[in-house]
């Protein structure tokens, strides 16, 4: 975690705990024109933070920072992403599409490093070799699936403007079963292509439908297994925050509070998530089953779900699992499932930007 991000969070953590925004489930500042989205993190968050907080001053600030740092895994905090070029000027400023490493489009990823949704977007950008800047921020929520679908469409359909593509993903507001207004996006798992383009991208019958199915599975199920596994025991929670503190270059005093208070908070939150999603007593078994189900769906004859190359489902699942690297949950998953070969292949494809070849003119 970038030191600048950590220091900024430490400064604002206490204030965020007090704010009305922290008492809501989460607010999205989307890159889509005029859009807003809330990811349900549960009403228990503000109650938990209030009960754990011991007062103002440095301790309060660090507590706010600690909880926010852990929230990247537990509370589905995700990405704020934008195309820095103004959409109204896009037609004249961007020539030749995004192929060949960007084609003039400047991408900035406003991310939270340990967030699985941010990691999904990074996996997509890395694989396609799209140049982008990373800005570490305090948690802002956005729909990573819309970001990926719209960018993939833009990479392939060079006759479409970004503005036209974004209109294919209209927002839909509704009230969930807890009485809270939420915003979803229509067609979020669809890449908007013409018939010829779709046939070239998905040559096998049913490939497009399969990709959409498993992208949604990653969002609706796999991502919810991360936090309960990373913070499964008090020891694992402490180990996770020990890693966060080392990455964040905390001072001695702040690091102590971030590690122990943050670990305690996320350990309790993980228990609530375990109950909400009706996970087994040993949550590792749910993780192992999910990962093995994914590998079984790929089968023995394919390197990736996308065949010889990763598709969006491959990149999404990889992005979610990657946030556990360096932690016990990741090591256990690699040792006790069949995912290792596939995971390393996708990792290599992303690091080498192999997707760039598919989008070059």
């Amino acid at each position: 975690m970038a030191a600048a991000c950590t220091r900024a969070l430490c400064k604002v953590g206490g204030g965020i705990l007090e704010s009305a925004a922290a008492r809501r489930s989460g607010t999205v500042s989307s890159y889509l024109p005029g859009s807003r989205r809330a990811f349900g993190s549960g009403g228990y968050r503000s109650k938990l933070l209030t009960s754990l907080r011991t007062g103002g001053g440095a301790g309060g600030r660090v507590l706010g920072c600690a909880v926010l740092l852990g929230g990247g895994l537990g509370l589905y905090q995700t990405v704020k992403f934008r195309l820095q070029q103004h959409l109204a000027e896009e037609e004249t400023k961007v020539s030749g599409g995004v192929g060949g490493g960007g084609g003039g489009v400047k991408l900035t990823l406003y991310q939270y490093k340990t967030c699985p949704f941010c990691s999904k977007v990074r996996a997509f950008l890395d694989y396609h070799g799209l140049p982008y800047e990373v800005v570490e921020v305090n948690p802002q929520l956005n729909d990573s699936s819309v970001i990926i679908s719209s960018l993939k469409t833009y990479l392939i359909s060079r006759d479409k403007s970004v503005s036209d593509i974004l209109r294919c993903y209209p927002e839909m507001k509704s009230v969930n079963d807890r009485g809270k207004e939420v915003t979803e996006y229509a067609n979020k798992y669809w890449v908007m292509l013409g018939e010829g383009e779709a046939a070239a991208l998905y040559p096998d019958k049913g490939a497009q439908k399969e990709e959409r199915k498993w992208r949604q599975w990653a969002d609706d199920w796999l991502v919810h297994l991360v936090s309960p596994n990373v913070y499964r025991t008090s020891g694992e929670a402490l180990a996770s925050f020990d890693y966060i503190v080392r990455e964040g270059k905390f001072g001695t005093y702040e690091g102590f509070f971030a590690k122990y208070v943050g670990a305690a908070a996320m350990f309790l939150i993980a228990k609530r998530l375990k109950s909400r999603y009706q996970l087994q007593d040993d949550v590792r078994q749910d993780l192992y089953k999910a990962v093995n189900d994914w590998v079984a769906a790929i089968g023995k004859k394919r390197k990736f779900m996308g065949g010889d190359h990763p598709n969006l489902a491959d990149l999404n699942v990889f992005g979610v699992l990657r946030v556990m690297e360096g932690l016990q949950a990741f090591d256990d998953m690699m040792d006790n499932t069949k995912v290792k070969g596939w995971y390393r292949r996708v990792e290599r494809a992303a690091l080498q930007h192999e997707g760039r070849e598919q989008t070059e003119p």
Side-chain angles (χ1 to χ4, degrees):
M1 188 70 66
C5 172
T6 300
R7 295 192 184 100
L9 288 173
C10 286
K11 291 178 182 178
V12 304
I16 290 178
L17 291 176
E18 297 283 358
S19 70
R23 292 193 294 270
R24 297 195 299 267
S25 62
T27 301
V28 182
S29 299
S30 176
Y31 78 103
L32 297 173
S35 64
R36 293 279 179 189
R37 169 161 192 183
F39 271 91
S41 58
Y44 62 87
R45 176 170 63 168
S46 59
K47 296 178 182 178
L48 175 61
L49 300 183
T50 301
S51 65
L52 287 174
R53 189 176 184 187
T54 57
R61 292 198 309 273
V62 175
L63 173 57
C65 178
V67 173
L68 287 174
L69 285 169
L73 287 173
L75 300 177
Y76 329 127
Q77 301 173 71
T78 188
V79 59
K80 182 181 180 182
F81 176 97
R82 73 178 179 183
L83 300 176
Q84 287 186 327
Q85 292 177 304
H86 195 278
L87 295 179
E89 301 173 349
E90 167 203 3
E91 302 274 353
T92 56
K93 288 188 176 181
V94 180
S95 61
V98 190
V105 176
K106 297 179 181 179
L107 306 178
T108 302
L109 182 66
Y110 293 84
Q111 71 155 19
Y112 199 48
K113 187 175 181 180
T114 56
C115 165
F117 293 106
C118 302
S119 185
K120 280 170 48 184
V121 177
R122 286 203 316 275
F124 174 86
L125 297 174
D126 290 341
Y127 175 69
H128 285 287
L130 295 175
Y132 63 98
E133 296 180 0
V134 171
V135 178
E136 297 285 349
V137 296
N138 59 300
Q140 297 266 322
L141 301 187
N142 245 324
D143 196 300
S144 56
S145 293
V146 174
I147 292 172
I148 291 170
S149 294
S150 57
L151 272 179
K152 185 67 172 181
T153 302
Y154 187 58
L155 286 172
I156 297 173
S157 298
R158 296 188 174 93
D159 60 332
K160 295 186 178 75
S161 70
V162 173
S163 300
D164 290 338
I165 292 170
L166 295 180
R167 281 193 286 270
C168 296
Y169 305 98
E171 66 177 33
M172 303 179 298
K173 295 185 181 296
S174 62
V175 177
N176 65 17
D177 54 5
R178 295 190 297 275
K180 294 182 179 180
E181 184 180 88
V182 295
T183 302
E184 268 292 349
Y185 295 100
N187 311 317
K188 63 190 290 184
Y189 299 110
W190 284 80
V191 180
M192 299 300 178
L193 305 175
E195 186 175 344
E197 294 167 335
L201 184 61
Y202 306 105
D204 297 330
K205 183 179 180 180
Q208 188 173 18
K209 183 178 180 180
E210 180 184 50
E211 179 185 78
R212 292 197 303 267
K213 170 188 172 181
W214 287 97
R215 287 182 67 192
Q216 184 171 357
W217 172 84
D219 286 354
D220 291 349
W221 179 242
L222 183 63
V223 74
H224 300 305
L225 301 179
V226 173
S227 182
N229 274 278
V230 168
Y231 305 109
R232 180 180 62 160
T233 66
S234 57
E236 288 181 86
L238 283 171
S240 298
F241 268 85
D242 184 61
Y243 169 78
I244 291 171
V245 168
R246 289 199 311 271
E247 287 286 303
K249 299 179 182 180
F250 282 78
T252 303
Y253 179 73
E254 291 184 338
F256 176 86
F257 275 86
K259 178 178 178 179
Y260 290 98
V261 179
M266 292 311 302
F267 174 70
L268 295 176
I269 289 174
K271 295 299 182 185
R272 294 293 298 270
L273 293 173
K274 174 183 174 182
S275 175
R276 174 181 295 180
Y277 294 106
Q278 300 180 352
L279 305 183
Q280 299 180 54
D281 289 338
D282 181 3
V283 293
R284 282 288 197 276
Q285 300 306 313
D286 291 292
L287 177 62
Y288 297 161
K289 183 180 185 305
V291 169
N292 281 331
D293 286 346
W294 163 252
V295 175
I298 297 173
K300 297 180 180 180
K301 296 182 179 180
R302 295 188 291 183
K303 294 180 180 179
F304 309 98
M305 181 162 283
D308 292 334
H309 306 282
N311 65 10
L312 297 185
D314 287 293
L315 297 175
N316 283 188
V317 173
F318 168 76
V320 171
L321 297 179
R322 181 172 59 177
V323 299
M324 297 188 291
E325 278 203 41
L327 303 175
Q328 187 62 48
F330 182 84
D331 294 340
D332 289 348
M333 177 188 72
M334 295 297 250
D335 291 340
N336 293 280
T337 70
K338 301 176 181 179
V339 76
K340 188 173 184 178
W342 167 86
Y343 185 91
R344 295 307 181 196
R345 287 193 293 272
V346 181
E347 181 181 51
R348 186 163 49 251
L351 290 174
Q352 296 177 358
H353 312 310
E354 292 180 8
R356 179 183 294 165
E357 301 173 1
Q358 301 174 24
T359 55
E360 289 179 342

